[in-house]
Amino acid sequence: MNFDTKVIHAGLHPDPHTGAIMTPIYQTSTYAQSSPGKHKGFEYSRTQNPTRKALEDNLAHLESANYALCFSSGMAAIDCIVKLLKPGDEIISSSDVYGGTFRLFTKVYENYGIDSTFIDLQDATSLEKSLSTKTKMIWVETPSNPLLQVIDIQKIAQICKEKNILLVVDNTFATPCAQNPILIGADIVVHSATKYLAGHSDVVLGALMLNDEKLYEQLAFYQNSCGATPGPMDSFLTLRGIKTLHLRVQRHSENAQKVAEFLLKQDKVKNVYYPGLQIHQGHEIAQKQMKYFGGMLSFDLKEDTPQQAFKIVERFKLFTLAESLGGVESLSGHPSTMTHASIPREERLKTGVTDSLIRLSVGVEHIDDLIKDLTQALR
Ligand SMILES: *Cc1c(COP(=O)(O)O)cnc(C)c1O
């Protein structure tokens, strides 16, 4: 199946009892057994639920993976993956990483003896120098949040294969519509489905996808044991959102490209970060590994103060100031005081997250209205 068909049909079947075309919301915690242990594959909804199973089957297909597992949030999915490690193990992560991921690795798992090192993985050779016998997992976010850094997944995967290290890719920004890390060597892909997959800012949900059966069984065991699973309503909303993923990503990308080119010409703007721009550091790698450049971009100001950025985001009429991204509506954010507030300022400035940096999640509205909103806010 082509991707555009997969989003609508893969892993899904009309309901065998009623013929319902759409997956029903199985709002039940438990299932009848005809005799102890005799059931239809469902015992208790933390362990399995038919709506969640339909979503997991669909998501596995979208990433061309054998298996998928869903969680009550993206962070719960990430948390489950870190549980594959043991005290004394180390994660090497790309430095420009989602604030919640940084917080989980440093403020939670360091207490359990799992260390994290954050390095710039845009140059894949820097990874080899940083590896030690403790390194058991490489964590890659590409394009990254909020600077849209692009990392060569295939190159990193080659290094990981040689050293027998797990490679995890957070594919939230790219979406499976633009990029399939498992096809180019990643072991596990993780998504905050809250963002583009569900796509309508009405649900919080996470997912991971992978091929290896043993790893899948271990992760499914943790999923059930720790219990951060999504409810059937949220699973349904995500399935519903996914059906238009290909249409949305195409429009998000077209709009973001035009917004990035517009911002580049503005006097007050210093840097524009968008993988679709030829001046972007990761443009060439993005062209190689992505089908679309996506709807996320960020820019900062020549007058680099939070106050200048605040003035602009307060004036936006369409780019609503809010956490999150990936919905049909445009949003703006101020990373240094919002999503990345938990990262120390020095650390933040080193990676380029300046005081005036503004992140945009470019929605699927009409481009003329978006440009008009930016024009009035910048004026
Ligand atoms: C939002 C986000 C997460 C966390 O997902 P939640 O669903 O909010 O728990 C992880 N990674 C990236 C890149 C994100 O944008």
Side-chain angles (χ1 to χ4, degrees):
M1 265 188 229
N2 287 295
F3 188 83
D4 299 7
T5 311
K6 278 189 191 174
V7 292
I8 297 164
H9 294 289
L12 305 173
H13 314 279
D15 178 50
H17 305 297
T18 62
I21 290 288
M22 288 300 136
T23 308
I25 302 163
Y26 287 92
Q27 195 73 51
T28 184
S29 63
T30 189
Y31 307 83
Q33 306 193 6
S34 57
S35 177
K38 271 202 175 163
H39 52 74
K40 298 178 172 164
F42 299 94
E43 295 154 278
Y44 184 62
S45 280
R46 170 165 31 76
T47 321
Q48 322 98 344
N49 173 279
T51 316
R52 188 178 100 210
K53 186 178 184 306
L55 174 61
E56 289 175 341
D57 289 349
N58 182 250
L59 283 171
H61 283 285
L62 298 195
E63 284 290 9
S64 298
N66 293 339
Y67 308 102
L69 292 167
C70 288
F71 296 82
S72 54
S73 70
M75 288 319 302
I78 293 171
D79 177 70
C80 190
I81 295 170
V82 180
K83 285 177 175 135
L84 292 171
L85 302 179
K86 295 189 174 60
D89 290 350
E90 179 205 36
I91 305 169
I92 293 183
S93 167
S94 49
S95 48
D96 188 31
V97 76
Y98 178 69
T101 304
F102 181 83
R103 182 173 57 195
L104 182 76
F105 289 180
T106 56
K107 298 258 166 76
V108 179
Y109 277 102
E110 272 182 17
N111 295 333
Y112 292 83
I114 295 164
D115 288 333
S116 302
T117 307
F118 297 85
I119 61 170
D120 185 354
L121 289 177
Q122 289 173 98
D123 172 15
T125 55
S126 66
L127 176 60
E128 272 170 302
K129 284 176 245 153
S130 307
L131 293 175
S132 77
T133 51
K134 287 172 56 183
T135 315
K136 295 287 153 62
M137 187 177 281
I138 306 299
W139 196 276
V140 164
E141 211 181 291
T142 180
S144 72
N145 182 16
L147 291 169
L148 288 304
Q149 290 178 358
V150 181
I151 294 166
D152 193 327
I153 298 171
Q154 208 161 11
K155 270 201 187 144
I156 303 278
Q158 278 162 3
I159 298 168
C160 290
K161 287 266 146 25
E162 278 166 27
K163 311 267 177 186
N164 213 12
I165 298 170
L166 280 179
L167 172 60
V168 185
V169 176
D170 184 332
N171 207 28
T172 300
F173 270 36
T175 83
C177 185
Q179 168 177 291
N180 297 119
I182 285 179
L183 292 180
I184 48 176
D187 296 296
I188 305 174
V189 164
V190 65
H191 278 278
S192 170
T194 313
K195 317 293 168 54
Y196 287 103
L197 287 173
H200 295 73
S201 304
D202 52 9
V203 62
V204 173
L205 194 138
L208 63 84
M209 298 80 159
L210 75 168
N211 278 338
D212 186 271
E213 189 183 356
K214 277 218 174 81
L215 270 184
Y216 165 73
E217 275 164 12
Q218 195 174 355
L219 288 162
F221 175 79
Y222 290 149
Q223 180 201 38
N224 182 47
S225 304
C226 302
T229 51
M233 182 71 196
D234 289 351
S235 301
F236 169 84
L237 283 171
T238 306
L239 269 172
R240 183 191 218 265
I242 286 172
K243 289 182 196 296
T244 55
L245 179 65
H246 56 308
L247 303 173
R248 288 184 283 109
V249 169
Q250 185 179 0
R251 177 65 82 83
H252 281 296
S253 303
E254 283 169 15
N255 281 356
Q257 182 77 36
K258 288 178 185 152
V259 167
E261 284 166 10
F262 167 82
L263 287 170
L264 212 52
K265 287 184 275 180
Q266 304 308 304
D267 287 342
K268 288 183 180 138
V269 173
K270 188 171 177 202
N271 300 293
V272 182
Y273 302 98
Y274 184 64
L277 292 176
Q278 275 182 4
I279 54 154
H280 190 72
Q281 200 187 340
H283 180 66
E284 247 172 70
I285 303 169
Q287 257 185 329
K288 184 183 73 167
Q289 73 186 14
M290 300 177 79
K291 262 172 66 186
Y292 294 96
F293 298 118
M296 297 303 299
L297 63 89
S298 49
F299 65 100
D300 63 5
L301 305 169
K302 285 183 184 144
E303 196 179 331
D304 184 38
T305 63
Q307 289 76 19
Q308 271 311 103
F310 279 24
K311 269 194 211 160
I312 291 173
V313 296
E314 284 168 7
R315 286 182 64 104
F316 281 142
K317 294 190 171 72
L318 288 177
F319 285 91
T320 309
L321 180 65
E323 302 263 1
S324 201
L325 60 109
V328 287
E329 71 292 333
S330 291
L331 296 179
S332 61
H334 184 241
S336 64
T337 56
M338 294 168 71
T339 47
H340 289 57
S342 58
I343 301 180
R345 184 164 185 268
E346 255 173 62
E347 201 106 15
R348 178 159 71 60
L349 290 178
K350 259 193 274 170
T351 63
V353 183
T354 54
D355 292 336
S356 68
L357 191 79
I358 293 171
R359 189 188 77 178
L360 299 180
S361 173
V362 181
V364 298
E365 299 94 337
H366 197 288
I367 184 63
D368 293 349
D369 296 322
L370 297 181
I371 297 289
K372 216 186 284 175
D373 194 31
L374 288 162
T375 306
Q376 66 81 23
L378 281 164
R379 199 192 301 132

